[in-house]
Amino acid sequence: MTSPSSTHDIVLVGAGLAGLAQFRLLRQAGFSPVLVDARPLEAVLRENQDQRATALTQTSIDILGLTPEWLAEHGSKISEMVVDGGLRDKLSGDESLHLISGAWVVPNAALKDWLLQGQELAGHFGAGLADHGLEDGLRQVVLTDGVTLGARLLIAADGKGSFVRRVSGIQKHVRSFRQTALTGVINHSEPHQNRAFQRFLPGGTLAFLPLPGQSHQSSFIWVEPTTKAADFFQLEPAVLAERMQARFGDVLGDLTASEGVQWGQYPLEAHHCDTVIGDRLALMGEAAHSMHPLAGQGLNMSIKDAEALTQALVAQRRAGLDLGDIEGLRDYERARRADTARLTSVTTALHDVFDKGPAPVRALAGAGLKAVERIKPLKSFLEREANR
């Protein structure tokens, strides 16, 4: 590698929601990270066309400093989470588990605007990574435009297919669910009343999040086996809305797709890594881990990664240590290991029981959801877990 054209304390790769959350928290803590993204800066700043929404837990809200006024304008607080075990052809409120939720549904586009608010995105845009490695006591980052950056610490927030992780040789252990998720926005004739729904069905799930300011629209995620979804999810949205209605029922009235709408789809998998740190290196967000989306916790986990890593770096600075000190980075890894493993195990176990389990096991689990309604201490425990 050639000598770096400039040297920085922190180089952060990836300007998605996780990377922007990490950038914002680092700036607030007094660091000056250099952000690298293969997209031009104009594309990073452009109004987000992502129609998806995220249910942010109170922990994530506190970490990001989202104010009550901002949430009231841009978010929708979930009044209750209705969880159905799929024992009947259609969702039945009487057969479902009703959980109190403190989560707020926030459109991803609005969340991106918040993360960018007041931030000057200092960095290199329009050029991706060509290579990186250790040289002369620095992590040297080579970009596709020929620029080389020296970093005392390189943070990878470049997603599931992380280039940084691959070049570093960090082993990724993948669990493919052999499922595909369809995501988008659905219209319904009855107001959602800020209710979220999750229906476990053989082979997949169907979930709705109430959209703020749109009482007759919800964000949805619909999961089916990939062998079926390959053709099924290619149907016109109007036809898929009818099929969705048949699986969900009429709790939200008639389900319809907006004219000309385009829904996105992606394969589902979970992964974890042997380690999320290295010499002058830290992975965060989906570069470090991913899980089944049925609990809707993916971005919340990334936000907690960003806080834990920021706190570890603040502690290193306070102790007068190099930011790339491996012992200090181990504090970050330890801080996130238990929470990540716990939630990954829970979501995978739910998938294995409700999506893939034999019919008698699914029936027993579905009946158990309703039984929880009558066991108040257990119900309270589940509500606390859902809002961590």
Side-chain angles (χ1 to χ4, degrees):
M1 294 184 180
T2 60
S3 299
S5 55
S6 57
T7 299
H8 310 274
D9 283 339
I10 300 172
V11 172
L12 171 60
V13 179
L17 290 178
L20 291 177
Q22 184 70 79
F23 183 86
R24 184 180 179 90
L25 292 181
L26 288 170
R27 288 286 296 269
Q28 290 175 338
F31 296 103
S32 300
V34 171
L35 191 58
V36 173
D37 195 278
R39 296 169 295 169
L41 179 58
E42 296 76 15
V44 174
L45 296 175
R46 188 179 302 136
E47 183 177 350
N48 199 329
Q49 300 301 312
D50 189 349
Q51 291 190 326
R52 292 175 297 174
T54 298
L56 295 176
T57 64
Q58 188 59 51
T59 297
S60 293
I61 289 168
D62 293 340
I63 291 172
L64 296 180
L66 299 174
T67 65
E69 296 77 16
W70 189 90
L71 287 169
E73 180 179 355
H74 299 282
S76 173
K77 188 172 185 179
I78 299 176
S79 59
E80 69 171 353
M81 182 72 188
V82 182
V83 185
D84 177 76
L87 296 180
R88 299 180 182 275
D89 291 340
K90 299 180 180 181
L91 183 143
S92 169
D94 293 338
E95 299 292 333
S96 301
L97 173 63
H98 298 257
L99 298 174
I100 297 174
S101 174
W104 282 78
V105 178
V106 175
N108 288 0
L111 181 58
K112 177 185 173 182
D113 289 343
W114 170 268
L115 294 174
L116 290 172
Q117 185 176 317
Q119 302 299 317
E120 181 180 350
L121 297 188
H124 292 260
F125 301 92
L129 264 68
D131 196 7
H132 70 87
L134 287 168
E135 192 167 317
D136 297 330
L138 294 174
R139 180 68 62 167
Q140 295 202 19
V141 180
V142 181
L143 305 183
T144 54
D145 61 2
V147 172
T148 299
L149 306 175
R152 294 180 179 87
L153 175 65
L154 175 62
I155 300 177
D158 51 344
K160 291 181 183 179
S162 173
F163 178 85
V164 174
R165 182 189 62 233
R166 295 200 309 273
V167 172
S168 302
I170 294 176
Q171 185 66 37
K172 171 185 174 183
H173 302 280
V174 179
R175 161 74 187 273
S176 173
F177 296 109
R178 296 186 177 88
Q179 293 176 314
T180 297
L182 183 73
T183 61
V185 173
I186 192 73
N187 307 315
H188 37 79
S189 59
E190 295 295 327
H192 52 56
Q193 299 175 333
N194 287 351
R195 293 170 297 170
F197 299 89
Q198 178 135 347
R199 184 148 212 255
F200 292 102
L201 297 165
T205 57
L206 181 58
F208 297 87
L209 290 176
L211 285 178
Q214 304 289 342
S215 63
H216 289 78
Q217 284 189 329
S218 292
S219 174
F220 74 87
I221 179 168
W222 183 358
V223 176
E224 292 284 355
T226 297
T227 52
K228 176 182 178 180
D231 294 323
F232 184 56
F233 284 163
Q234 302 307 314
L235 296 173
E236 291 294 325
V239 176
L240 285 170
E242 295 176 358
R243 305 293 177 87
M244 190 186 301
Q245 183 92 57
R247 283 163 171 74
F248 181 68
D250 57 5
V251 174
L252 289 172
D254 296 331
L255 303 180
T256 56
S258 298
E259 186 175 351
V261 70
Q262 291 184 339
W263 292 336
Q265 54 182 289
Y266 58 94
L268 298 186
E269 67 176 36
H271 81 270
H272 69 277
C273 299
D274 290 333
T275 181
V276 297
I277 60 172
D279 290 331
R280 299 192 177 278
L281 173 69
L283 312 181
M284 62 85 60
E286 290 194 333
H289 51 73
S290 64
M291 62 195 66
H292 198 287
L294 58 82
Q297 290 296 310
L299 184 56
N300 287 295
M301 297 295 283
S302 297
I303 292 169
K304 288 193 280 188
D305 287 350
E307 182 197 37
L309 182 52
T310 301
Q311 289 180 343
L313 296 179
V314 167
Q316 285 173 243
R317 182 178 60 188
R318 188 181 299 121
L321 298 174
D322 189 312
L323 294 181
D325 180 74
I326 191 67
E327 293 304 320
L329 293 176
R330 284 197 178 100
D331 290 340
Y332 158 65
E333 185 172 54
R334 283 191 291 267
R336 296 299 301 132
R337 181 184 292 129
D339 188 37
T340 301
R342 176 187 61 82
L343 195 53
T344 301
S345 298
V346 168
T347 53
T348 300
L350 286 172
H351 161 269
D352 289 344
V353 171
F354 283 103
D355 290 2
K356 295 297 183 182
V361 174
R362 292 200 311 270
L364 183 61
L369 285 176
K370 183 55 183 175
V372 171
E373 192 76 42
R374 299 189 293 272
I375 307 174
K376 300 304 180 184
L378 179 55
K379 182 179 178 181
S380 297
F381 169 78
L382 291 175
E383 288 173 338
R384 288 196 302 273
E385 284 293 298
N387 290 289
R388 285 181 61 168

